[in-house]
Amino acid sequence: MKSLIASALLLCLLLSGCVGRSAEYSNRIYSMDTVVDLTAFGPEAKTAVAAAEAEIYRLEALWSVGYADSDISHINRDGIASVSEETAVLVSDALELYGETGGLFNIAVYPIVDAWGFYSGEHRVPDPGELETLLAVTDPAGITVKNGMVTLPEANMAIDLGGIAKGYASAAAADAMRAAGIRSGILSLGGNVYAIGTKPDGTPWRVGVQDPSDTASLVGIISMEDEAAVTSGAYQRFFEENGVIYHHIIDPRTGRPSDSGLASVTVVMADAMRADAYSTALFIMGKEAALSFWRETGGFELVLVEASGAVTITDGLRDRFSPNTAFEVAKR
Ligand code: AMP
Ligand code: MG
């Protein structure tokens, strides 16, 4: 079985003109199961990048399902665990987002993501009977967060913050950089990009949205300032079996990789954690439902790329999207 993991999900375009005007420091680490690129400008750049790295490693240790001692591993192993305040808040937020997204953002999909082999890397296609059994333990309604304790209502339940943690971590790492005195920087954790301020020359950051059918090229570039751009895409993590591609974003209604006609969803929003949850849920929703959600909810903008290659942006990006291809603009 062939396993393919797409590498960088959004490309940060650091234009050569901005380097040299102000001290720049960049570093690449591997954390939260993805490549993390951190860049800061200013005299404190090196200290700031080190602080951001420490923050990301700290959150990885709290939430990784791959760490036996993480808060999430304790919850999943024992069904009840005393957790850090930050974990309690993020689990509560994730449960709220379940309601907000009509049940599509669901941290209780863990047993299903596991059955497809996305944690172990031993990918397989579960049979319908197995999926049906697992779907019975993916209702997060009974999960409680109280007095620093997270409790799962059933023995076979387990949770995974993978659809939200990188967004949260990008903002936390950006805050660590700001606390170190940084006013200009850019962070990328897999498909989660966070822009601090502007480029050192005062112009907005320019963040590329990858073409899902050719990840070496971009469908366009978004201008950004003090906000996040988070992409969920079928191309980011998948395997192929008997000519069929199976990706990592699970439709909680079917237990199967979602098949909504979208190839990627990019959410642009100040709240990086929410942008991460939305990108996952809106990918499953499909184009029309995602645009209705945008109209009803507000507070964010979208770049939608369909499997056909068609690109749609929402109205608020009209003046800050530099396209490389034809696109439509969705109105409020
Ligand atoms: P993202 O890359 O942010 O779209 O999140 C995808 C990751 O979140 C997957 O690798 C799983 O770990 C997890 N996941 C998959 N399906 C869902 C879902 N429906 N709701 C919440 N998390 C999910
Ligand atoms: Mg997400």
Side-chain angles (χ1 to χ4, degrees), residues 1-331:
M1 203 182 320
K2 209 171 162 195
S3 163
L4 298 163
I5 296 180
S7 58
L9 312 173
L10 277 171
L11 304 176
C12 303
L13 302 180
L14 303 175
L15 301 183
S16 52
C18 53
V19 178
R21 291 185 184 197
S22 170
E24 177 195 2
Y25 185 78
S26 294
N27 199 26
R28 169 172 286 188
I29 60 171
Y30 190 83
S31 179
M32 296 191 152
D33 222 11
T34 196
V35 174
V36 176
D37 284 307
L38 304 165
T39 297
F41 289 86
E44 305 303 332
K46 197 170 178 179
T47 320
V49 168
E53 285 171 18
E55 184 63 356
I56 292 166
Y57 285 134
R58 183 182 71 78
L59 296 173
E60 178 182 39
L62 272 185
W63 298 331
S64 171
V65 294
Y67 283 29
D69 217 22
S70 72
D71 275 358
I72 298 304
S73 293
H74 286 155
I75 296 168
N76 289 344
R77 196 175 51 233
D78 304 330
I80 179 163
S82 166
V83 298
S84 73
E85 194 182 334
E86 222 168 351
T87 303
V89 170
L90 193 60
V91 172
S92 299
D93 286 348
L95 295 175
E96 256 175 49
L97 283 156
Y98 174 76
E100 223 182 285
T101 59
L104 296 183
F105 184 79
N106 181 353
I107 55 171
V109 293
Y110 180 110
I112 294 178
V113 176
D114 192 29
W116 288 90
F118 283 111
Y119 301 118
S120 63
E122 288 166 26
H123 299 127
R124 56 188 274 277
V125 179
D127 65 52
E130 182 181 355
L131 288 178
E132 207 170 309
T133 308
L134 295 175
L135 280 168
V137 292
T138 56
D139 179 359
I143 300 175
T144 60
V145 184
K146 222 167 145 185
N147 302 327
M149 303 287 284
V150 176
T151 311
L152 307 179
E154 288 194 56
N156 297 330
M157 279 185 90
I159 59 171
D160 165 22
L161 298 176
I164 197 172
K166 290 194 288 286
Y168 181 100
S170 71
D175 283 346
M177 282 199 192
R178 288 189 182 107
I182 297 304
R183 296 290 162 264
S184 173
I186 190 137
L187 306 85
S188 169
L189 291 78
N192 296 247
V193 174
Y194 190 97
I196 302 176
T198 62
K199 288 193 288 180
D201 67 3
T203 60
W205 288 106
R206 291 164 57 75
V207 173
V209 178
Q210 275 183 313
D211 179 348
S213 66
D214 169 16
T215 53
S217 51
L218 305 175
V219 298
I221 296 169
I222 306 168
S223 296
M224 291 183 34
E225 207 173 315
D226 279 320
E227 64 195 329
V230 180
T231 299
S232 286
Y235 65 94
Q236 291 172 335
R237 197 172 290 252
F238 63 88
F239 67 96
E240 195 178 328
E241 194 171 294
N242 299 327
V244 182
I245 290 195
Y246 300 96
H247 64 78
H248 68 136
I249 304 175
I250 300 297
D251 186 332
R253 298 166 296 197
T254 63
R256 304 179 61 81
S258 96
D259 184 19
S260 67
L262 286 174
S264 76
V265 171
T266 300
V267 178
V268 182
M269 191 177 198
D271 181 341
M273 177 277 282
R274 191 164 289 267
D276 194 358
Y278 283 0
S279 72
T280 307
L282 272 56
F283 181 86
I284 303 167
M285 264 179 219
K287 179 181 168 186
E288 294 312 324
L291 291 174
S292 300
F293 185 86
W294 167 72
R295 290 188 185 98
E296 286 155 20
T297 311
F300 63 94
E301 302 298 336
L302 296 171
V303 179
L304 306 176
V305 184
E306 293 172 66
S308 65
V311 176
T312 304
I313 66 166
T314 52
D315 210 24
L317 288 183
R318 183 193 284 274
D319 298 330
R320 48 196 195 104
F321 183 70
S322 314
N324 281 342
T325 177
F327 68 102
E328 273 180 41
V329 181
K331 301 278 166 44

